Every structure is written in structure tokens, then in C-alpha cells.
Amino acid sequence: MYSPKTHFSINIKADKEYIKTAKIKWEFAEAFTTELLQIYDTNLDASFDEGELKLIQEALITYIEPKNFLTFITYDTQINEQSNPINVKKYKFSYKNNILSFDYEFDLNYKIKDKHKLYVEIYDEGGYFIMIANEKKQFLRIPYKIKKELDYNSATFTIDAPNLKITDNNEEVLASTDIKTDEIENKDEIIKSESKQKTIEKTINEEIVEDDTSKTVVKKEISLLEEFVKKIKIYLVEIEKGEDKTALAFLLFASFAYGIVHAIGPGHGKALAFSYFSAQKSSYTQAFFISLATAFIHIVGALVLVLISIVILKSILNSFLDDSITYITSTSAVLIMLLSLFILYRKLKKKSCVCSACNISEDKPMFSTQNTNMNFVQTNKASKIHFSNTRKKEDLFFVLTAGLVPCPGTVVLFVYAFILKTYISVILASIAISLGMGLVIFASSFLGVTLNKVSAKQNKIINIVEILAPIVMFILGLMLLLNANIL
């Protein structure tokens, strides 16, 4: 989910004495509507029915209700720092002309007073929604003159009613029955606000264009994910309805294939695995299990994020997933850089030390059992006895750092699991994805192990490889950190 650009309109009604009610309407961007359609269109009819709209509404209300419906409103001679609470009496989602909209109403019952400002701002502190005021649809329908000022996400209505005078009872009454019902707008303020709004919208649009340009490289990856999402949804719906007994088999096959193709794309630890196993001696068996474990952690990370988002935060309509992936990616990058520095430090220290303990070859046993005839029984050949607790910790560290960033396809899968209640099928599909990814990561690990073994035949070459490999790891970690968009 990205931060959707959402336009809103305000329609406030008043009589001669009170500002009565406010109706606010949000219109979501078409791209965001399409994205929600991919997730919540459970009957695959390319539209939203009442049941599907109810699911979206529940998710949105869970997010915005504790935040006062993202509505900041004050009524005073000045704009106050704290918002007045609102009590929304009704709300509704609508889907028309491929656009999703959300309306909500609440009572105000503010006593009309001269020179008072009614300030309404729609703003999401969580940063999930980018709220933009529709400049032509901000109304205070009141039988007095008003001055309207618009900002990109707010509207200020200043009441100009000098005929309202204060009585001895501190109540405002009309001094004249001559009431003008036309709303008078301050043109200079409107033009200034419109200019500011257009500048902000231009900035937002430029950011979107720049973001789209930066994503051109991974266009195939996005298309692959969209195609995968469509197929997965079809299979999960069929499994839920029990219409097709082979749907689960197709689901697992599609998930395995997605895992392979997805891992072949940019990133996903292939170069990292190659560098890691090039930097130090390892066996193919060790590389195989570490590769599978890395892919499995990929899946576990996605499950944890979705569980927190849905079970704890009660909604997927929040910025938690995006923010978490950004920070997790950054953390993973830093840990990878630290691991590479440790491997490099250990190699350089071992190379510079002249003592026999540091320069003993790992191909030779630290101590061994010799061939003897004990009780007339011939023992086996000398067997290597070598403890490598430090290396095991390094391998575990590598698995956790390389697999920390969750897989987007698996995130979508787990979201579907909670919407369609197909938990077992989704878990099996996630395992299939991890197997596909693990296969590709192992291919890179295999090459790394092979390079190290071949280079080991020449001391100079192996020294160069085992020094360059952690340097490459460090560069990969640095690139991952820079691409996390957190610096």
C-alpha cells in the first residue's frame, strides 16, 4: 500500500442562529481504488458489492475513528491548537464510476458569532493518506457574509455579521432584519490559497512521477506480482468455496513458480549469499540449508508484519507495513555491513598473525584420533574433530539479516488469508514460495562455495577472494541502506 492522494469536500449548513451540521466527503485516487479492488474483490467481478465495501469500511473506520476521523475542527475568534471532538452520526462508502468515496456527517450546533472563525482541517498524522481540499467544493451555507480561506488540506470560514450585537444577557441578536444570503468570498485569499494548493499538488505529482521513473527498472517485477495476485485470488476463492479440488495443487505450483521468478529479480540476497560463501570455507550442504533458512525467514517476516497490522492495529489501511519494511530493510542493511566488517577483520587479523594458532589450516584437524588396533579391532581413519561455534553464530546472523526483509507476494498472501479465512492454504502456499526462493538463493550460494574451493588451491587467489568478498558484502549492504529511502 502506498500513501493515496485523497481529495475532500466540505459542506456545512447553518440557520440564523446556529452552525448546524457538517458533511465531509473523501474521494480516493483511482489507482488506490484499483489496489483495493485487487485485495477486497473476493467474488472476482471487478467491482465492489455491499459485503466487500463493508470490509473496506471496517478497515478504514478502525484506522480513522481513534483519530477523530482525521478531522481537526475549531470555532473561536482564532484557530485553536486543540480540535473540538466530533461525534459522527453516520458514514458510508460508495463506489461509482470506478471511484471509491467515503462520506461522513456530524452535528456542530455552534452559536453563530461575529468575527468567529470556523476552521476545518483534514490531516493524517500517520502519513497514510495525503489529504487535499477540493478548492471548488468547500461550503459554509450561512445567511451571513463570510470570508473563505483555503489551504491545501484545510478551509477557514470567518463570519462577518456586524448586525449581530451583544445583549445584556451576552446573547447575540440581529440588529437589523436585512440579511444577505449570498456567500461573499475574499478573492485575494482564494487566489493565494489556490496558488499554494497548486504548488503543493505539483510537488506531490512530481514526487509520484519521479517515483514512477525510479520503478521502471522493476516494472517486470511489479507486473509479475500483479499477475501472481490475480491467480492466487482465483485459487483461494475456489478453495474457500470448495468448487475445484485441484485448486490447492495449482495454488502451490503457482506459489513455487512465483518464488523462483521473484527471487531471480533484483535483490533477495543472491549477491549477498554469493559473497558470504565466497568469503569463507563452507560445504554445499551447509549452503543449502542456510539458503532455505534465509528464504523461510523471508516468509516469517511477512507473517509477523501482517499479524501486527491486522491483529494488533486492527487494519491493513495504515502505514505500518510500508514503514516497517523501510526500517527493517535499513536495519538489515546495517547488520549486513557489520557482519562483512567482522569477516574482513577476522581474515586480516588471521593473515597478519604469525602464531601457529591463528594460521592453522581449517582443512587440517585441530586434533585427531589415530589408527590403532585396540582390542584387536581396527578403528576408522583419522577423523577430524573441529568445533565451530563462532561460524554457526555467523551463519545464524547471516540468515536473520539476509532474510529479514519480507517478501511482498507473501504479504499479499497473508492479507488474503485474513480476508478469505483460508489460513491453511495460505501457509502451504507461503512454504512453496520459500522453497522456490531458497532454490535460487542456493544456486548463488553454490557458486560462492565453488569459487572458494577452486580458489583454495592457490593461496594468493584465496586470500584475494576472501578479502574482496566481505568488501562486496559491505557495498551491497550500503546500497540496500541507501535504497531504503530512510537517509
Side-chain angles (χ1 to χ4, degrees):
M1 293 277 185
Y2 67 100
S3 297
K5 187 168 67 173
T6 305
H7 289 83
F8 67 88
S9 58
I10 300 172
N11 189 4
I12 302 173
K13 295 182 179 180
D15 57 20
K16 295 179 181 179
E17 297 184 8
Y18 290 94
I19 300 174
K20 304 290 288 183
T21 60
K23 182 177 181 179
I24 298 177
K25 181 175 184 177
W26 300 358
E27 288 190 349
F28 300 99
E30 187 173 354
F32 180 65
T33 303
T34 302
E35 188 171 340
L36 289 179
L37 197 63
Q38 291 178 352
I39 296 175
Y40 287 97
D41 181 22
T42 56
N43 59 8
L44 306 176
D45 64 348
S47 182
F48 291 115
D49 58 26
E50 289 298 323
E52 293 162 352
L53 286 176
K54 185 178 179 181
L55 288 174
I56 302 174
Q57 181 171 284
E58 289 175 353
L60 181 67
I61 294 301
T62 301
Y63 179 68
I64 66 174
E65 192 169 31
K67 302 175 182 289
N68 209 41
F69 279 72
L70 310 186
T71 304
F72 185 96
I73 184 167
T74 68
Y75 180 65
D76 206 336
T77 55
Q78 60 184 6
I79 298 173
N80 297 326
E81 294 183 359
Q82 287 192 340
S83 172
N84 298 337
I86 63 173
N87 183 19
V88 176
K89 58 183 182 180
K90 61 179 180 179
Y91 48 80
K92 184 181 180 181
F93 253 106
S94 303
Y95 180 66
K96 187 176 181 181
N97 297 327
N98 297 323
I99 297 296
L100 197 62
S101 61
F102 176 66
D103 299 81
Y104 57 103
E105 296 182 32
F106 51 93
D107 293 328
L108 296 174
N109 293 322
Y110 296 153
K111 182 74 175 178
I112 296 176
K113 298 180 180 181
D114 185 35
K115 306 305 179 187
H116 271 53
K117 297 177 181 290
L118 178 61
Y119 176 78
V120 183
E121 178 184 6
I122 312 296
Y123 176 70
D124 182 11
E125 292 182 350
Y128 184 71
F129 292 101
I130 300 174
M131 309 302 299
I132 301 174
N134 188 327
E135 60 202 47
K136 297 180 180 180
K137 296 182 180 180
Q138 312 299 320
F139 300 111
L140 170 58
R141 305 185 187 279
I142 188 172
Y144 303 101
K145 293 180 181 179
I146 61 169
K147 182 173 73 171
K148 180 168 66 174
E149 302 169 70
L150 297 181
D151 203 343
Y152 80 100
N153 69 335
S154 66
T156 306
F157 305 94
T158 304
I159 298 174
D160 183 16
N163 292 332
L164 285 173
K165 293 186 177 180
I166 305 296
T167 66
D168 294 336
N169 296 326
N170 291 326
E171 293 182 355
E172 298 197 20
V173 297
L174 288 173
S176 171
T177 56
D178 184 18
I179 300 174
K180 295 184 178 182
T181 58
D182 296 333
E183 296 181 5
I184 309 298
E185 299 176 347
N186 188 305
K187 297 297 183 182
D188 293 335
E189 295 289 349
I190 293 295
I191 293 173
K192 181 179 178 181
S193 299
E194 287 178 358
S195 176
K196 183 176 181 181
Q197 178 171 343
K198 289 177 181 178
T199 301
I200 293 171
E201 288 208 39
K202 181 181 178 182
T203 303
I204 294 172
N205 289 330
E206 286 176 351
E207 289 177 354
I208 293 173
V209 170
E210 182 180 350
D211 186 56
D212 288 342
T213 303
S214 65
K215 290 180 180 178
T216 304
V217 181
V218 292
K219 187 174 180 181
K220 291 183 179 179
E221 168 73 8
I222 295 174
S223 300
L224 169 67
L225 179 59
E226 291 177 353
E227 191 65 28
F228 171 71
V229 166
K230 290 179 182 178
K231 290 183 178 180
I232 289 301
K233 187 190 293 185
I234 292 173
Y235 295 142
L236 287 176
V237 170
E238 290 177 351
I239 291 171
E240 181 195 24
K241 296 179 179 179
E243 295 177 349
D244 189 350
K245 302 300 181 182
T246 61
L248 179 59
F250 283 112
L251 171 68
L252 297 180
F253 176 77
S255 299
F256 180 75
Y258 169 78
I260 293 176
V261 180
H262 172 68
I264 290 175
H268 311 298
K270 296 185 301 298
L272 189 62
F274 176 78
S275 301
Y276 179 75
F277 287 104
S278 298
Q280 49 197 339
K281 297 175 178 65
S282 306
S283 67
Y284 293 115
T285 303
Q286 187 180 21
F288 176 75
F289 285 108
I290 288 177
S291 299
L292 285 183
T294 302
F296 181 73
I297 293 296
H298 229 45
I299 305 304
V300 172
L303 175 60
V304 171
L305 286 184
V306 174
L307 282 175
I308 293 175
S309 183
I310 293 180
V311 177
I312 298 179
L313 301 181
K314 306 296 185 182
S315 174
I316 63 168
L317 293 182
N318 54 63
S319 60
F320 173 77
L321 287 176
D322 289 335
D323 292 344
S324 296
I325 291 174
T326 298
Y327 288 112
I328 287 173
T329 302
S330 302
T331 303
S332 176
V334 172
L335 293 176
I336 288 169
M337 293 164 68
L338 291 175
L339 177 61
S340 64
L341 290 175
F342 173 76
I343 295 174
L344 181 61
Y345 165 77
R346 188 184 61 185
K347 176 63 181 177
L348 293 176
K349 181 181 178 182
K350 180 180 176 181
K351 184 176 177 61
S352 62
C353 185
V354 296
C355 70
S356 59
C358 289
N359 285 282
I360 187 171
S361 174
E362 292 188 9
D363 290 332
K364 297 180 180 178
M366 293 179 66
F367 59 93
S368 63
T369 59
Q370 301 298 326
N371 292 340
T372 58
N373 292 328
M374 186 177 295
N375 295 330
F376 304 100
V377 178
Q378 177 70 33
T379 60
N380 294 328
K381 293 182 180 180
S383 58
K384 182 190 297 186
I385 302 175
H386 185 55
F387 298 100
S388 54
N389 290 331
T390 302
R391 177 59 193 274
K392 289 180 180 178
K393 291 179 181 178
E394 284 182 26
D395 292 342
L396 178 60
F397 195 82
F398 172 79
V399 167
L400 293 177
T401 53
L404 203 58
V405 182
C407 169
T410 314
V411 170
V412 173
L413 265 178
F414 286 127
V415 169
Y416 283 157
F418 284 93
I419 294 176
L420 299 173
K421 312 299 181 185
T422 53
Y423 304 108
I424 301 299
S425 300
V426 164
I427 290 174
L428 293 175
S430 301
I431 293 174
I433 290 178
S434 66
L435 290 175
M437 293 180 62
L439 192 62
V440 175
I441 297 173
F442 172 65
S444 298
S445 303
F446 181 90
L447 293 176
V449 174
T450 302
L451 176 62
N452 187 277
K453 287 182 179 296
V454 172
S455 303
K457 297 177 181 179
Q458 296 291 332
N459 288 334
K460 290 184 178 180
I461 296 178
I462 190 62
N463 285 331
I464 294 173
V465 170
E466 291 186 352
I467 290 175
L468 285 180
I471 294 175
V472 173
M473 276 184 66
F474 183 86
I475 295 173
L476 291 172
L478 182 61
M479 292 174 61
L480 186 64
L481 182 63
L482 294 175
N483 290 330
N485 297 323
I486 195 173
L487 295 179

